[in-house]
Structure formats: C-alpha cells, structure tokens
Amino acid sequence: MTQTTPDAPVRRQRAQIRVRTLRTDRWWLAPLLTFLALSAFLVYGVWAIIDGSYYFDPYIAPFSSPCLTTSCAEGARLFGWAPIGDWYTLPPGLLILGLPGGFRLTCYYYRKSYYRSFWLSPPACAVQEPHGKYSGETRFPLIMQNIHRYFFYAAIVIGAILSYDAILAVIHKPLGLGSWVLIANAVLIVAYTLSCHSCRHITAGRLNHFSRHPLRYRAWTFVSKLNAKHQPLAWASMFSVMGADLYVRLVAKGIIAFPYA
C-alpha cells in the first residue's frame, strides 16, 4: 500500500459540473438582443440593396453610395462618374456592399458579438459553449478575419464619400432635415472607422519613441480615446446608417413629404 508524505503534491481535478452554467442571472438576454439587432440590420440591408428608391435630390441613401453605374441618377453619381456600363443590370448597391460590410464583418468587436450571439462561442462568460472543439481563427474560413486591416482602408474611402454626400446635401438644402440626418450619420461612421484597433496600430502602434514623432503621437492619442468607445460607436453607427438610409428612401418614395424634408 502506497503512503503519501506530508510534502507530496496533491493532485486536484477540475470540478465536474454537469450543468451548463451556475449563473443565476439572465445571461442569455445580452446575446439574444445582439442576435435580434444584428439580424434586423442584415434583413434591412438585403431589402435596401434591392430597393430602387435610393435618391432624392440632393439626398443619396448611404447603402447605395457611391453609385457607379450608368443606371444611376446623374445626381447620385460620384463626381458624375459612372465607370460601370450598361451591361450591369443588378442593383448598384451590390458593387460597394462588400467594402463597408467586410469592414464590419471582420471588426474585432463585431466578431465577438456574432460569435457569441449566432454561434454561442461562448454565449456569455462562465457559460459552456455547445461546441466540442475550439480552433480559434487559425483555419479557413475564420483565418480570413486577418484581412480586417485592409478593409479598414476601404472603410476610410467610404466614410469620406458619405461625408462628401452629407456636405453637398447641407449646401444644397441647408434647412432640410435629411441634410442633418446624413451629417450625423457621416460623423458616426467616421468616428467608428477611426476608433478601429487597426487604425490605432497604423497610426503609431509600431513606434518605439513617441518623442521623435510628436504628430503621430497626438494622432495616436486621439485615436486611442476613440478606441475606448469602439463598442458604443459600432452600435451607434450601425443604427445611424440604417436610419439615414431608411429616411432617404422614405423621402424618395413620398412617404415622408413634409416641408423641409
């Protein structure tokens, strides 16, 4: 019979908990609300892309900007430019959907959100996930999340275009409610884009001596403050772009037709 000495290490096993979690709060509420909100955004996005009422001078719906086909209204084209010819017969919004959509899909915060709400991986802290294996983002298709930094450059361009659209609307219709709706959306879109973790790294993440790069340090400080608000900016910009897009389409359809619309 083997005897153990007082100094012998004690081998301990992990607690064998048979239930999914010991939490007694409503841990399922946050992933449920996230699931519903993201699903609503996806459903709206599909409808907006196929909807043809995307322009009402001087307003252009954000989901369809820039409009690059010859089928676009002349005022909806970026600088009057329509590089896509008559051969393209699909909705013009499909041409640029992948740029802002890819940026949000690969965003660090949104990855956490839909991993938890759609895949339950895990649904909440201290809650067991239903998956038996975990491979992280090391295999296809999740390894494609690493291209987020490149979608950031595209998102900068889209943010600049939406800002240009909003400024033009204010210039041509300063008393229009839609002009200020587009301005508010552009501000939130740009703030969300600049709050990205990739932007913070690109700005000054690889510098060893901030004192030698004072301008980049100031930019990094500003972006870092935005980065601390990345989560609320992600939600605010998502609802703002959906709200601004819907507003323009309702005006274009004549559903909203009060003075100074």
Side-chain angles (χ1 to χ4, degrees), residues 76-239:
R77 301 174 187 175
L78 182 64
F79 307 125
W81 189 44
I84 308 300
D86 296 333
W87 60 268
Y88 184 84
T89 58
L90 296 176
L94 283 174
L95 292 172
I96 50 95
L97 175 65
L99 301 181
F103 179 64
R104 288 186 184 265
L105 185 67
T106 59
C107 167
Y108 295 131
Y109 169 70
Y110 280 116
R111 278 144 73 172
K112 168 192 159 185
S113 296
Y114 64 77
Y115 284 1
R116 288 190 169 191
S117 58
F118 283 83
W119 297 343
L120 306 179
S121 181
C125 294
V127 179
Q128 183 181 7
E129 60 180 288
H131 311 287
K133 296 181 180 180
Y134 174 76
S135 60
E137 297 176 338
T138 60
R139 295 187 301 180
F140 183 83
L142 295 185
I143 196 172
M144 299 296 293
Q145 303 281 28
N146 292 325
I147 62 177
H148 176 65
R149 69 193 68 181
Y150 302 107
F151 276 121
F152 165 74
Y153 298 122
I156 286 290
V157 175
I158 294 297
I161 292 173
L162 293 182
S163 299
Y164 174 78
D165 292 341
I167 292 172
L168 282 184
V170 171
I171 292 175
H172 291 96
K173 202 169 186 179
L175 298 180
L177 177 59
S179 301
W180 300 103
V181 168
L182 293 178
I183 282 287
N185 173 62
V187 169
L188 288 172
I189 290 292
V190 172
Y192 162 65
T193 304
L194 295 181
S195 73
C196 171
H197 298 74
S198 294
C199 180
R200 185 170 181 265
H201 179 73
I202 292 169
T203 303
R206 300 182 64 181
L207 295 181
N208 293 324
H209 304 282
F210 282 140
S211 60
R212 298 179 184 176
H213 305 273
L215 293 180
R216 291 184 65 182
Y217 173 69
R218 290 182 182 179
W220 179 84
T221 302
F222 172 74
V223 171
S224 295
K225 292 178 180 179
L226 287 177
N227 181 253
K229 306 292 184 182
H230 192 52
Q231 176 176 336
L233 284 173
W235 283 108
S237 62
M238 189 184 82
F239 285 112

